[in-house]
């Protein structure tokens, strides 16, 4: 009972924080898959997950070799920096000083970027699309890895926190695979028109809030 | 190489977004470490120092950003 009293907050934090990061990665993978096809998206995302798994498998055992006081010191310094950054942005978004993190806008921006790349790189677009998916999965995955280490390393909760993070990833991808079907059924032209309209809305928002866009997370 | 630089920049950005916030947080952490050393064993004082310092830095950081946005 005492274990769950200590573990539950850490495991819940790992699950919820990982959920947020996985949603951001999935938005970009979804944009790549919708515009360029699921093969480059799946290959890029798969390569990103493989790299993350390798990093965890290679560096994970090293955590046991790091002296506990040093590990606690490093995580103790990095965690307030990480958390304060999140809190500051959450307060500013709640107060309306900076725009809310809009996944639709992110989706539209990635769509426009990929379409622009198509006109420049032609047959290399599959490679660019795959790299975009790879980069999104690696970047957001590194945040998830840090969250899992931060909440789990000090209290011997690495495995429970890791399992919750993987569960969050599986949940988002499952929901995404179910929900993306309507998007996949739309004609490509409709997706492109909708993507351009969302992108135009994005530019209008940016133009009207030029200074706040500086604070917005890409 | 460009991707590696982007990844490093993003990892750096996980922890340091606003310079004032990052520096002030490090000052609070350092101050808490000094309090822990000085007060030897009084964990409540150190905890209140850390909590109070973080809250102050958070409010100051939000205030600075909101004021800059309102001015512009």
């Amino acid at each position: 009972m005492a274990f769950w009293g200590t573990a539950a907050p850490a495991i819940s934090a790992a699950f919820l924080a990982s959920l947020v990061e996985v949603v951001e990665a999935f938005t970009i993978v979804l944009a790549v898959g919708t515009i360029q096809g699921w093969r480059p998206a799946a290959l890029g995302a798969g390569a990103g997950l493989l790299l993350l798994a390798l990093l965890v498998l290679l560096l994970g055992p090293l955590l046991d070799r790091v002296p506990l006081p040093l590990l606690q010191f490093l995580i103790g310094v990095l965690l307030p920096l990480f958390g304060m950054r999140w809190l500051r942005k959450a307060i500013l978004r709640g107060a309306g000083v900076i725009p809310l993190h809009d996944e639709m806008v992110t989706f539209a921006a990635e769509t426009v970027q990929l379409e622009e790349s198509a006109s420049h790189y032609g047959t290399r677009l599959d490679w660019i699309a795959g790299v975009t998916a790879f980069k999104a999965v690696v970047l957001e995955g590194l945040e998830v890895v840090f969250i899992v280490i931060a909440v789990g390393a000090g209290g011997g909760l690495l495995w429970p926190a890791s399992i919750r993070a993987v569960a969050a990833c599986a949940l988002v991808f499952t929901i995404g695979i179910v929900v993306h079907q309507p998007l996949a059924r739309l004609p490509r032209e409709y997706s492109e028109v909708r993507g351009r309209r969302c992108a135009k809305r994005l530019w209008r928002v940016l133009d009207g809030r030029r200074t706040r866009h500086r604070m917005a997370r890409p | 190489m460009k991707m590696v630089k982007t990844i490093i920049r993003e990892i750096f950005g996980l922890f340091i977004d606003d310079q004032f916030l990052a520096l002030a947080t490090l000052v609070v952490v350092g101050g808490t470490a000094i309090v822990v050393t000085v007060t030897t064993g009084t964990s409540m004082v150190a905890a209140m120092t850390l909590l109070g310092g973080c809250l102050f830095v958070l409010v100051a950081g939000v205030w600075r950003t909101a004021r800059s946005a309102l001015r512009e």
Side-chain angles (χ1 to χ4, degrees):
Chain A
M1 190 70 181
F3 170 76
W4 286 112
T6 312
I11 293 171
S12 305
F15 178 78
L16 292 171
S18 302
L19 203 65
V20 170
E21 302 304 332
V22 174
V23 164
E24 292 179 8
F26 187 77
T27 302
I28 296 171
V29 171
L30 185 64
V32 170
T34 304
I35 294 300
Q36 191 53 25
W38 291 104
R39 191 162 173 268
L43 286 174
L49 288 172
L50 188 63
L51 176 64
L52 287 169
L54 281 172
L55 280 173
V56 169
L57 286 172
L58 289 173
L59 300 179
L62 291 179
L63 280 178
D64 290 331
R65 298 192 177 195
V66 175
L68 187 61
L70 177 61
L71 186 64
Q72 287 175 331
F73 172 73
L74 286 172
I75 292 178
V77 171
L78 292 176
L79 201 53
L81 288 174
F82 187 73
M84 293 282 276
R85 180 180 152 269
W86 267 30
L87 275 174
R88 174 182 161 270
K89 285 213 164 166
I91 293 169
L92 289 170
R93 285 189 175 125
V97 177
I98 58 176
L100 293 175
H101 190 63
D102 191 342
E103 295 301 333
M104 284 298 296
V105 170
T106 305
F107 181 87
E110 286 295 333
T111 303
V112 167
Q113 193 178 350
L114 283 169
E115 287 179 343
E116 282 177 359
S117 300
S119 64
H120 286 105
Y121 297 103
T123 55
R124 286 182 58 203
L125 183 57
D126 272 358
W127 169 253
I128 291 167
V131 166
T132 302
F134 171 80
K135 207 167 66 172
V137 169
V138 168
L139 288 174
E140 303 302 335
L142 284 172
E143 291 193 43
V144 171
V145 169
F146 174 75
I147 289 164
V148 167
I149 292 172
V151 301
L157 297 169
L158 263 182
W159 276 112
S162 303
I163 291 168
R164 286 297 177 272
V166 171
C169 186
L171 178 66
V172 170
F173 273 85
T174 303
I175 292 173
I177 287 168
V178 168
V179 168
H180 102 273
Q181 292 297 333
L183 286 173
R185 281 197 218 111
L186 291 172
R188 184 188 167 89
E189 292 78 17
Y190 178 84
S191 301
E192 287 176 350
V193 168
R194 183 150 174 85
R196 285 200 197 94
R197 284 181 183 164
C198 287
K200 280 181 188 168
R201 189 184 73 173
L202 166 67
W203 291 121
R204 277 200 294 272
V205 168
L206 294 176
D207 194 44
R209 300 180 188 178
R210 208 169 295 133
T211 55
R212 291 173 188 169
H213 173 63
R214 194 156 45 92
M215 307 298 171
R217 186 176 176 180
Chain B
M1 196 61 195
K2 191 179 170 185
M3 197 194 317
V4 172
K5 281 184 186 173
T6 304
I7 290 173
I8 290 172
R9 193 171 56 240
E10 286 287 334
I11 292 171
F12 190 73
L14 284 180
F15 306 105
I16 298 177
D17 194 359
D18 178 26
Q19 287 179 356
F20 166 79
L21 191 77
L23 280 171
T25 304
L26 290 175
V27 166
V28 167
V29 171
T32 305
I34 292 170
V35 168
V36 167
T37 310
V38 166
T39 57
T40 57
T42 315
S43 59
M44 185 56 73
V45 175
M48 296 311 292
T49 304
L50 183 62
L51 177 63
C54 285
L55 284 173
F56 177 77
V57 166
L58 187 62
V59 168
V62 168
W63 170 255
R64 278 169 53 95
T65 308
R67 198 175 56 177
S68 304
L70 284 171
R71 274 185 191 163
E72 291 163 1

